[in-house]
């Protein structure tokens, strides 16, 4: 029971390693692109110089100057690459540190060891930070990462750019998000994203809202027609807006004019952004919490007389409320908890029944009796009995 | 896992090789070389340029290959990760289970960090009454905490908490340390209330008055522990949590630790159920048993050893005269519905009647 299943738990850690590796990869790709482009240009340049020199249209001194210019361009490229190289190092190191953290986990033996508790706490902080970042709380997330010394285990800076795009969408501006689409064009195509079309639609809707029909038509020609093969139906819907004012109650135009579409855009951007960066679509905190709460939830949690202050689900204000709609746990095996001491009753600490049928642990009852002249009080009924009257209970 | 680390180290080695032997430096070097050759012998400019053209091409090809090789090894590595870390956590999520409960979740997180002593994080994340007191403590202002502790003196004493005494003591020591002699003497009265319970220490505290001004070189220097303020904060939050009925261990920590252990089973279950077009989170009860460690069992669960069903109010656990417990329905089956019928316990040789069986309460 207390043995750890490493492989199962490790297999949950895909994003933890995948995210930095993919960032590493994309920085490499960027530097590669820069290098190939500039070096290609310079190769051409050198053969051009060579040709001119052979033809005699370039003096050796001019050749020297031209070569000097090439050296300068190479130096400029080198400076440009410095930042990208720094990213490469950052993400490769981050990958390494995370792999090491998982390796440390693989050496932990049991669930009740201090090492596991520590690892568990780090995991909690990791997924809470992820939750905070998605929730827009970058300040507390950064503070927490710093105070727990786990900056390398979280990806705070990756949320900085996306926050800017989201803020712009909140201000009802598509420009930043369109720019983001452009930068990530090829990857968005891979996940069959329709975000760009939704943004174009929205910009058109805003023109229609202001009744700037001429501009709207020009916009549609330029930005909507490229999508006609796949989105003809949507395009004809928005074009219809030109005939209907923003106050219309007519379907589907009322829905198209609805400002809540901006929230949908934010949601669409988020899910695209998460997919591109290998973040899970929903926070890991939620799914882990759901699994944990359901595993802990019993019918007793919602009966005040059975409340256990140590049980997370028993708190109606916090986790009990979160667990409300989740399934109850299910058990084929009994486990009996002493209501006096909170200890598990088993062969080492037998369950004992008082004459009134209430069951407590041997340890708790004998301790109570030793302080009260051999008498025990049932905490749930107030009845008093002699310890000699209690009876062993057998739970098979 | 070890193999994955080794494989990544190979990638890192390639990266480092590229870093130390910057490809652009190599290109710069050969262009500079050509330039110098031409300066030294302008008549051979064409030859030098031809050499440059060739070597520039060959070096840039090498660079491109090295770069590509590193890139493809990272790509390969990234793909290999997908094979190792296969669990799709999202298989087990119900994206709507926490709808409209964001505030509750935030509050739970905030409370967790408060108990951990990371008040700043908790404070920034949510606001609660306790935060102000803790913030004051952080600024060495004991006032609000003292006010709270005095108001809850009876409850604290019932828990044999020494919080109030510790707070007064700290206030008094602050006065001694800042050499406010008269104030310290006046404050000593506050400590008098605790005189009987902390007799020896109270005597030492009064002794401090003799050494005002050079207290850190006195026999009482040990009273001024450097982390006394942290200890008081910890004590305050612990007592505060206990008084308002918060648990010993952070509920968020317990839930997430249990959740992490349960995830693999949950994912498997959710995937099977999805194939049958059902959702685990929509069930009233989990279809599988999730084993809990002893320290996360908070309620007695009685599963009848005969029927394997969990006891309910309608089907309560019954103890036979031999001490073995089964559920009422199983008992009825064993005696074939006749309360005076004698039957053998399924777990021991003893015979008894259903009428002799007794309700037990766990
Ligand atoms: Zn409970």
């Amino acid at each position: 029971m207390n043995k750890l299943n490493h492989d199962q738990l490790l297999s949950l850690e895909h994003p933890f390693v995948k995210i930095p590796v993919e960032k590493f990869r994309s920085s490499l790709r960027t530097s590669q692109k820069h290098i190939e482009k500039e070096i290609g240009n310079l190769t051409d340049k050198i053969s051009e110089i060579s040709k001119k020199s052979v033809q005699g249209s370039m003096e050796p001194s001019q050749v020297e100057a031209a070569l000097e210019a090439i050296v300068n361009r190479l130096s400029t490229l080198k400076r440009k690459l410095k930042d990208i190289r720094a990213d490469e190092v950052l993400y490769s190191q981050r990958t390494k540190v995370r792999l090491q953290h998982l390796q440390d986990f693989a050496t932990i033996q049991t669930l009740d060891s201090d090492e596991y508790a520590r690892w568990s706490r780090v995991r909690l902080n990791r997924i809470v930070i992820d939750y905070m970042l998605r929730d827009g709380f970058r300040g507390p997330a950064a503070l927490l990462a710093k105070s727990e010394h786990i900056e390398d285990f979280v990806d705070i800076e990756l949320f900085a750019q996306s926050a800017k795009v989201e803020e712009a969408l909140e201000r009802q501006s598509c420009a930043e998000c369109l720019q983001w689409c452009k930068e990530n064009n090829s990857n968005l195509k891979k996940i069959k994203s329709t975000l760009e079309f939704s943004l174009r639609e929205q910009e058109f809707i805003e023109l229609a809202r202001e009744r700037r029909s001429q501009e709207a038509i020009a916009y549609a020609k330029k930005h909507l027609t490229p999508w006609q093969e796949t989105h003809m139906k949507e395009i004809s819907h928005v074009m219809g807006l030109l005939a209907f004012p923003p106050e219309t109650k007519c379907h589907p135009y009322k829905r198209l004019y609805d400002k809540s579409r901006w929230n949908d855009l934010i949601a669409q951007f988020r899910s695209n952004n998460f997919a591109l960066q290998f973040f899970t679509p929903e926070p890991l905190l939620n799914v882990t919490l759901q699994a944990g709460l359901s595993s802990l939830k019993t019918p007793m949690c919602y009966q005040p007389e059975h409340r256990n202050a140590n049980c997370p689900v028993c708190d109606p204000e916090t986790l009990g409320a979160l667990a409300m709609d989740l399934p109850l746990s299910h058990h084929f095996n009994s486990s009996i908890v002493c209501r006096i001491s909170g200890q598990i009753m088993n062969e080492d600490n037998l369950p004992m029944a008082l004459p009134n049928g209430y069951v407590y642990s041997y340890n708790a009852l004998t301790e109570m009796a030793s302080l009260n002249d051999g008498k025990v009080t049932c905490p749930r009924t107030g009845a008093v009995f002699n310890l000699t009257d209690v009876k062993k209970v057998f739970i098979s | 896992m070890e193999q994955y680390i080794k494989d990544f180290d190979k990638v890192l080695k390639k990266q480092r090789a590229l870093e130390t032997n910057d490809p652009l430096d190599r290109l710069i070097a050969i262009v500079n070389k050509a330039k110098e050759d031409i300066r030294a012998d302008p008549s051979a400019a064409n030859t030098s340029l031809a050499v440059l053209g060739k070597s520039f091409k060959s070096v840039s090809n090498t660079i491109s290959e090295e770069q590509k090789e590193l890139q493809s090894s990272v790509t390969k590595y990234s793909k290999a990760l997908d094979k190792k870390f296969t669990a799709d956590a999202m298989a087990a999520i119900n994206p709507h289970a926490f709808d409209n409960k964001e505030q509750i979740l935030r509050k739970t997180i905030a409370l967790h960090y408060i108990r951990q002593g990371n008040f700043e994080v908790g404070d920034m994340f949510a606001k609660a009454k306790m935060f102000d007191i803790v913030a004051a403590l952080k600024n060495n202002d004991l006032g609000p905490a003292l006010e709270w502790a005095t108001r809850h003196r009876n409850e604290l004493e019932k828990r044999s908490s020494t919080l109030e005494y510790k707070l007064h003591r700290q206030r008094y020591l602050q006065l001694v340390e800042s050499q406010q002699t008269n104030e310290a003497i006046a404050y000593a009265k506050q400590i008098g209330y605790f005189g009987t319970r902390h007799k020896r220490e109270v005597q030492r505290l009064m002794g401090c008055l003799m050494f005002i001004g050079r207290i850190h070189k006195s026999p009482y220097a040990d009273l001024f522990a450097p982390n006394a303020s942290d200890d008081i904060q910890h004590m305050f939050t612990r007592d505060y949590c206990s008084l308002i009925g918060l648990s010993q261990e952070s509920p968020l920590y317990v839930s997430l630790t249990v959740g992490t252990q349960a995830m693999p089973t949950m994912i498997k279950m959710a995937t099977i159920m999805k194939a049958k077009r059902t959702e685990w989170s929509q069930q009233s009860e989990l279809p599988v048993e999730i084993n809990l460690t002893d320290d996360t069992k908070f309620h007695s669960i009685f599963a009848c050893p005969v029927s394997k069903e969990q006891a309910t109010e309608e089907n309560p656990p019954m103890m036979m005269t031999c001490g073995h417990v089964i559920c009422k329905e199983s008992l009825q089956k064993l005696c074939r519905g006749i309360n005076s019928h004698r039957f053998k316990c399924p777990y021991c040789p003893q015979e008894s009647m259903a009428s002799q069986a007794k309700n037990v309460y766990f």
Side-chain angles (χ1 to χ4, degrees):
Chain A
M1 174 70 255
N2 286 333
K3 258 193 83 63
L4 256 162
N5 189 332
H6 296 100
D7 284 347
Q8 283 191 341
L9 291 181
L10 277 176
S11 78
L12 289 168
E13 299 291 353
H14 186 261
F16 188 53
V17 203
K18 186 80 173 178
I19 292 169
V21 167
E22 281 296 318
K23 286 304 280 184
F24 180 26
R25 199 164 80 93
S26 81
S27 320
L28 281 174
R29 216 174 23 228
T30 315
S31 57
Q32 168 85 344
K33 248 192 243 156
H34 281 300
I35 293 175
E36 296 234 306
K37 196 173 151 214
E38 187 68 353
I39 288 183
N41 287 340
L42 294 178
T43 312
D44 294 347
K45 194 101 198 161
I46 289 174
S47 55
E48 194 190 313
I49 296 168
S50 200
K51 211 193 269 164
K52 282 188 180 157
S53 172
V54 171
Q55 289 165 349
S57 60
M58 217 175 188
E59 293 288 314
S61 63
Q62 286 173 305
V63 171
E64 248 183 79
L67 291 183
E68 182 62 38
I70 289 177
V71 169
N72 284 340
R73 278 178 69 171
L74 283 168
S75 307
T76 313
L77 176 63
K78 203 180 151 182
R79 271 198 302 277
K80 212 187 209 169
L81 286 179
K82 218 177 142 196
D83 285 345
I84 307 172
R85 293 266 187 237
D87 269 0
E88 285 169 22
V89 174
L90 171 73
Y91 290 110
S92 65
Q93 284 310 314
R94 196 174 273 184
T95 307
K96 171 84 187 166
V97 173
R98 292 184 185 189
L99 286 168
Q100 194 55 54
H101 183 62
L102 296 183
Q103 169 64 23
D104 292 347
F105 172 72
T107 62
I108 299 173
Q109 298 298 327
T110 57
L111 288 170
D112 51 7
S113 61
D114 289 347
E115 291 77 22
Y116 180 70
R118 211 173 304 136
W119 200 83
S120 216
R121 254 192 288 279
V122 171
R123 189 165 200 278
L124 175 143
N125 286 320
R126 282 200 269 134
I127 66 177
V128 165
I129 290 173
D130 169 74
Y131 177 85
M132 287 174 164
L133 289 169
R134 290 161 188 260
D135 206 14
F137 289 85
R138 258 185 304 143
L143 191 65
L144 179 55
K146 194 161 173 246
S147 63
E148 299 291 330
H149 312 293
I150 51 170
E151 284 109 322
D152 276 334
F153 292 173
V154 292
D155 302 284
I156 293 172
E157 76 287 345
L158 299 188
F159 281 82
Q161 194 203 4
S162 58
K164 268 185 213 137
V165 174
E166 280 184 33
E167 278 158 23
L169 289 174
E170 274 163 24
R171 288 196 314 271
Q172 303 183 12
S173 155
C174 290
E176 292 78 357
C177 197
L178 281 166
Q179 175 63 28
W180 181 86
C181 287
K182 206 173 141 199
E183 284 161 20
N184 296 283
N185 189 26
S186 64
N187 285 328
L188 285 170
K189 272 201 188 120
K190 264 184 223 150
I191 60 164
K192 299 197 170 63
S193 161
T194 57
L195 176 61
E196 192 190 338
F197 177 73
S198 305
L199 292 163
R200 294 297 181 196
E201 249 186 327
Q202 194 61 40
E203 292 207 313
F204 179 89
I205 292 169
E206 295 309 319
L207 289 172
R209 194 193 306 283
E210 289 167 32
R211 313 310 292 155
R212 287 152 64 183
S213 302
Q214 291 297 336
E215 283 165 75
I217 292 166
Y219 186 91
K221 264 189 201 152
K222 189 165 172 207
H223 295 298
L224 294 182
T225 48
W227 298 84
Q228 62 191 17
E229 249 174 64
T230 46
H231 293 75
M232 201 50 219
K233 201 175 134 212
E234 288 88 345
I235 294 174
S236 51
H237 275 165
V238 289
M239 287 306 287
L241 289 176
L242 296 175
F244 291 86
E247 308 75 40
T248 182
K249 298 232 169 358
C250 185
H251 174 79
Y253 309 109
K254 182 172 186 284
R255 194 175 45 81
L256 288 171
Y257 276 127
D258 196 327
K259 289 270 187 185
S260 72
R261 278 183 59 99
W262 284 99
N263 297 336
D264 302 342
L265 285 175
I266 294 176
Q268 201 183 349
F269 162 71
R270 276 189 168 205
S271 81
N272 278 204
N273 182 35
F274 289 156
L276 251 50
Q277 310 209 52
F278 293 90
F279 283 93
T280 53
E282 298 284 334
L284 268 177
L285 178 78
N286 291 27
V287 64
T288 313
L289 205 50
Q290 287 171 9
L293 291 175
S294 214
S295 306
L296 289 165
K297 187 175 169 184
T298 69
M300 282 80 93
C301 296
Y302 295 91
Q303 298 162 359
E305 72 275 20
H306 286 297
R307 196 171 174 255
N308 180 339
N310 288 322
C311 170
V313 186
C314 279
D315 184 353
E317 301 274 306
T318 57
L319 293 163
L322 289 176
M324 192 64 93
D325 302 323
L326 294 172
L328 291 163
S329 63
H330 183 77
H331 298 276
F332 302 105
N333 298 297
S334 302
S335 54
I336 310 295
V337 183
C338 176
R339 291 287 292 266
I340 299 174
S341 65
Q343 284 170 345
I344 300 293
M345 294 187 254
N346 51 27
E347 315 76 66
D348 305 326
N349 188 16
L350 283 173
M352 309 292 286
L354 302 181
N356 64 1
Y358 284 76
V359 177
Y360 301 101
S361 72
Y362 177 84
N363 290 352
L365 290 177
T366 46
E367 196 197 324
M368 196 195 287
S370 72
L371 298 169
N372 294 295
D373 304 327
K375 288 202 188 320
V376 290
T377 309
C378 172
R380 280 178 280 180
T381 62
V384 181
F385 304 99
N386 284 318
L387 185 64
T388 47
D389 293 333
V390 305
K391 205 170 168 273
K392 267 184 217 168
V393 179
F394 298 102
I395 312 285
S396 4
Chain B
M1 202 57 233
E2 252 166 75
Q3 194 52 48
Y4 280 81
I5 293 199
K6 274 192 203 140
D7 289 347
F8 194 69
D9 281 342
K10 281 184 204 151
V11 175
L12 283 178
K13 217 169 140 195
K14 278 185 197 150
Q15 186 194 14
R16 232 165 279 140
L18 258 181
E19 214 180 313
T20 46
N21 186 12
D22 191 319
L24 293 177
D25 285 340
R26 279 181 269 163
L27 285 180
I28 291 173
I30 60 169
V31 181
N32 273 331
K33 166 111 189 2
K35 207 179 74 185
E36 273 150 30
D37 288 348
I38 293 169
R39 179 172 297 166
D41 183 4
S43 63
N46 288 343
T47 328
S48 298
L49 279 172
V51 171
L52 171 65
K54 242 189 222 154
S55 59
F56 195 89
K57 246 183 219 152
S58 89
V59 171
S60 30
N61 282 343
T62 327
I63 290 171
S64 174
E65 263 158 40
E66 283 171 355
Q67 184 88 18
K68 268 189 197 143
E69 199 194 315
L70 173 60
Q71 212 181 310
S72 79
S73 69
V74 177
T75 306
K76 241 202 214 139
Y77 190 80
S78 184
K79 283 207 182 111
L81 290 176
D82 302 345
K83 291 209 184 79
K84 165 88 182 162
F85 305 98
T86 47
D88 175 18
M90 292 304 123
I93 200 167
N94 169 2
H96 303 297
F98 294 163
D99 278 358
N100 304 318
K101 290 177 180 165
E102 292 84 1
Q103 282 303 339
I104 300 172
L105 185 49
R106 282 184 202 133
K107 182 175 151 195
T108 314
I109 294 175
L111 286 171
H112 167 80
Y113 286 104
I114 290 156
R115 343 173 24 120
Q116 301 297 304
N118 200 336
F119 304 108
E120 235 179 318
V121 169
D123 198 20
M124 279 172 76
F125 199 53
K127 285 272 174 205
K129 185 176 151 196
M130 188 169 94
F131 297 177
D132 299 333
I133 303 182
V134 173
L137 279 179
K138 280 199 171 269
N139 289 326
N140 279 324
D141 175 7
L142 304 172
L146 267 168
E147 190 265 335
W148 181 85
T150 321
R151 245 180 326 115
H152 295 93
R153 180 177 284 172
N154 291 336
E155 291 126 290
L156 287 170
E157 279 179 359
K158 231 188 264 169
R159 288 172 166 74
S160 39
S161 157
T162 56
L163 177 68
E164 193 188 352
Y165 165 68
K166 290 273 166 63
L167 285 165
H168 280 302
R169 187 184 97 140
Q170 186 67 8
R171 177 80 197 108
Y172 170 79
L173 291 175
Q174 280 178 354
L175 293 171
V176 170
E177 201 170 22
S178 58
Q179 306 182 22
Q180 294 168 270
T181 314
N182 292 335
E183 288 85 348
I185 293 170
Y187 203 83
K189 281 193 208 106
Q190 299 280 351
I191 295 180
Y193 173 80
F194 305 94
T196 45
R197 263 204 292 159
H198 305 277
K199 198 166 161 194
R200 267 189 56 82
E201 200 179 68
V202 170
Q203 284 171 1
R204 294 193 74 215
L205 289 174
M206 297 306 120
C208 290
L209 291 170
M210 295 182 289
F211 293 95
I212 281 186
R214 51 194 177 97
I215 193 77
H216 290 293
K217 291 204 175 78
S218 77
Y220 303 119
D222 61 296
L223 288 169
F224 299 85
N227 42 12
S229 157
D230 288 350
D231 292 348
I232 282 203
Q233 270 177 43
H234 185 251
M235 196 174 189
F236 169 76
T237 43
R238 194 197 60 199
D239 286 356
Y240 190 101
C241 287
S242 136
L243 228 66
I244 60 174
L246 288 178
S247 55
Q248 289 161 13
E249 189 52 88
S250 155
L252 184 66
Y253 174 75
V254 172
S255 310
L256 289 176
T257 308
V258 170
T260 307
Q261 287 154 25
M263 282 292 282
T265 313
M266 293 292 222
I267 292 170
K268 217 182 280 170
M269 170 195 74
T271 315
I272 293 170
M273 293 183 76
K274 270 212 181 97
K276 295 183 189 159
R277 299 188 183 284
T278 46
E279 285 282 343
W280 74 270
S281 53
Q282 303 300 314
Q283 311 299 312
S284 62
E285 204 176 76
L286 292 177
V288 291
E289 179 168 32
I290 306 280
N291 287 317
L292 298 170
T293 52
D294 281 355
D295 57 339
T296 52
K297 288 176 183 162
F298 301 110
H299 299 283
S300 291
I301 302 287
F302 182 75
C304 175
V306 176
S307 67
K308 299 289 168 200
E309 274 171 35
Q310 260 171 260
T312 60
E313 247 167 79
E314 296 75 40
N315 186 21
M318 306 287 288
M319 180 172 68
M320 296 173 283
T321 51
C322 55
H324 284 104
V325 183
I326 58 177
C327 274
K328 194 170 186 173
E329 282 172 12
S330 300
L331 188 73
Q332 288 302 321
K333 272 186 200 146
L334 282 173
C335 72
R336 301 197 198 107
I338 308 161
N339 280 342
S340 57
H341 178 81
R342 288 188 79 82
F343 62 91
K344 189 188 94 61
C345 166
Y347 301 99
C348 73
Q350 205 170 316
E351 287 190 356
S352 65
M353 292 182 286
S355 57
Q356 295 170 304
K358 239 162 99 175
N359 269 47
V360 284
Y361 307 92
F362 294 114

